[in-house]
Amino acid sequence: MTGQVAEAPSEMAAATGLLTVGVEEEFLLVDPHTGAAVPAVDLVMEQVPAELRGQVEREFQTSQIEIGSPPGLELSSIRHSLGLLRRALADAAERAGVRLLAIGTGPVDGPVPPVVDKPRFDRMIERFRLLVPGPGNNGMHVHVGVPDPETGVQVLNHVRPWLPLLHAMTTNSPFARGEDTGYASWRSVEWERWPSVAPTPWLESHEHYQRLIRQLISSGVMLDEGMLYWYARLSAKYPTVELRIGDVCPSVDDAVLVAALVRALVATARADIDAGRPALRTDHHLLVGAHWRAAHDGLEGEAVDVTTGELRPAWELLDQFVDRLRPALEQHGDWAEVTDLLGGLRRHGSGAARQRAVYARTGRLTDVVQDVARQTRD
């Protein structure tokens, strides 16, 4: 996690009841000619402007790089930060002779780049061995401010049933090893190799949350709290809840839309908690199934209605979800922009659908890579 993605809610946020939001994005570094992942993070870091280096970090593999936006109340500030950082990083990558991709995992086959030389990562490899996922596994994490850990745990209970919809709308990795995997998010399939990746369980209290962390560490499933890879968790460093379900989004527009919906989901959860409305206590295995379906179908197929367990068109459930969030979106001044961005998503499709459309036209994964690179910068 980059150092400036989240902090304590500002005085203005506390006074207005509005929530801060910050975004982390992970990217893949590829050869500009073949599209294969390359271990170029050190070369790219050397080219990043000095004034932005505090918001850029190495990730797990040497083919990855990460940015973090400062927290903000306005979507315009998130858009500005992500746009500035993406363009600067894309320029740095080009100066280093590689290309930056906002993509869940590498579509083109090639050697697996090594892990970044870091003692903690060395311990992870020593314990978990061959779980390292291919060319690089790139996600998007959204942080939203909460006043205290106990409230944060209640928020986690309230948001967990709705995360499969966000999972579906962020699918952006249909290709791997040179072919269509049949999944809209192959990153999700690779990511679930790690034993601590799962839907967030139902939590009785913050003490219960901490007890589970201690037990998972003592069992060997995790080295430390940083390896708690639940789809939503409390940040170990900041007073936020962190939703970490999606592939990295192909464009800034997509990322801003997800950030707005995540903040509205947390704000809706806070309103329900204050009003004494209970969270939907969805069965864990139904959530596992709903997330599998989201990774498989994406936004263009069917999704699990967690209130009934039945399949319905994903867009139909997403529209209902956004309607449910409308009061919080209006409270934060985001409704008009979200409506516009949803219209764009409906026209262009998910990142996975866009990649498949390019491949259907040209039959070349190098064209897919070029199109993703264009969206990453633009």
Side-chain angles (χ1 to χ4, degrees), residues 49-70:
E51 66 273 16
L52 297 178
R53 288 179 186 171
Q55 294 171 260
V56 180
E57 281 191 355
R58 294 166 179 82
E59 238 296 321
F60 186 61
Q61 285 171 261
T62 52
S63 53
Q64 298 175 280
I65 196 163
E66 179 183 17
I67 62 171
S69 75

Side-chain angles (χ1 to χ4, degrees), residues 11-317:
E11 292 182 6
M12 180 182 295
T16 60
L18 303 181
L19 305 183
T20 57
V21 61
V23 174
E24 297 169 339
E25 294 187 304
E26 299 162 352
F27 303 98
L28 189 68
L29 302 171
V30 302
D31 183 289
H33 306 294
T34 68
V38 289
V41 67
D42 289 339
L43 294 174
V44 175
M45 289 291 289
E46 291 174 1
Q47 298 296 328
V48 174
E51 66 273 16
L52 297 178
R53 288 179 186 171
Q55 294 171 260
V56 180
E57 281 191 355
R58 294 166 179 82
E59 238 296 321
F60 186 61
Q61 285 171 261
T62 52
S63 53
Q64 298 175 280
I65 196 163
E66 179 183 17
I67 62 171
S69 75
L73 290 172
E74 302 290 337
L75 288 186
S76 58
S77 67
I78 300 299
R79 177 182 295 280
H80 173 76
S81 296
L82 294 181
L84 176 67
L85 287 165
R86 280 182 175 227
R87 287 189 296 273
L89 213 54
D91 288 342
E94 290 184 9
R95 288 193 293 272
V98 298
R99 184 163 288 167
L100 185 77
L101 297 188
I103 196 168
T105 193
V108 176
D109 199 12
V112 175
V115 171
V116 169
D117 185 13
K118 188 176 180 181
R120 179 172 178 266
F121 293 165
D122 292 340
R123 293 196 303 273
M124 290 171 68
I125 295 300
E126 181 181 2
R127 177 172 298 179
F128 299 103
R129 307 295 293 184
L130 292 179
L131 295 186
V132 176
N137 198 292
N138 305 298
M140 173 187 181
H141 308 157
V142 182
H143 290 255
V144 181
V146 291
D148 56 78
E150 206 65 59
T151 300
V153 165
Q154 293 184 64
V155 167
L156 295 180
N157 285 340
H158 278 258
V159 304
R160 62 193 287 273
W162 313 109
L163 299 188
L165 287 172
L166 294 172
H167 193 167
M169 69 180 293
T170 55
T171 50
N172 187 34
S173 51
F175 296 102
R177 300 179 183 89
E179 61 181 320
D180 193 320
T181 64
Y183 283 78
S185 174
W186 187 247
R187 178 204 67 90
S188 301
V189 178
E190 291 186 325
W191 185 231
E192 287 171 3
R193 297 175 184 178
W194 293 91
S196 57
V197 174
T200 309
W202 182 270
L203 299 162
E204 301 297 337
S205 63
H206 184 233
E207 191 282 326
H208 181 207
Y209 180 92
Q210 293 177 309
R211 185 169 72 250
L212 283 174
I213 290 174
R214 292 193 299 270
Q215 290 169 340
L216 290 172
I217 292 172
S218 65
S219 74
V221 167
M222 307 189 312
L223 293 180
D224 50 39
E225 187 173 351
M227 283 192 69
L228 186 70
Y229 297 143
W230 293 344
Y231 298 152
R233 68 182 187 183
L234 303 182
S235 171
K237 296 182 178 180
Y238 306 106
T240 64
V241 291
E242 179 187 3
L243 276 64
R244 42 187 300 117
I245 183 53
D247 291 355
V248 64
C249 291
S251 73
V252 170
D253 273 354
D254 298 312
V256 169
L257 173 59
V258 173
L261 293 179
V262 168
R263 174 166 65 177
L265 177 59
V266 173
T268 301
R270 292 279 305 276
D272 287 343
I273 292 165
D274 292 344
R277 291 186 286 269
L280 180 64
R281 192 159 182 166
T282 309
D283 182 84
H284 174 80
H285 291 286
L286 179 61
L287 281 183
V288 169
H291 280 288
W292 175 85
R293 193 79 198 200
H296 184 273
D297 284 27
L299 197 52
E300 284 68 36
E302 293 187 298
V304 176
D305 183 341
V306 294
T307 65
T308 65
E310 302 297 323
L311 286 176
R312 292 171 56 190
W315 262 108
E316 183 179 307
L317 289 175

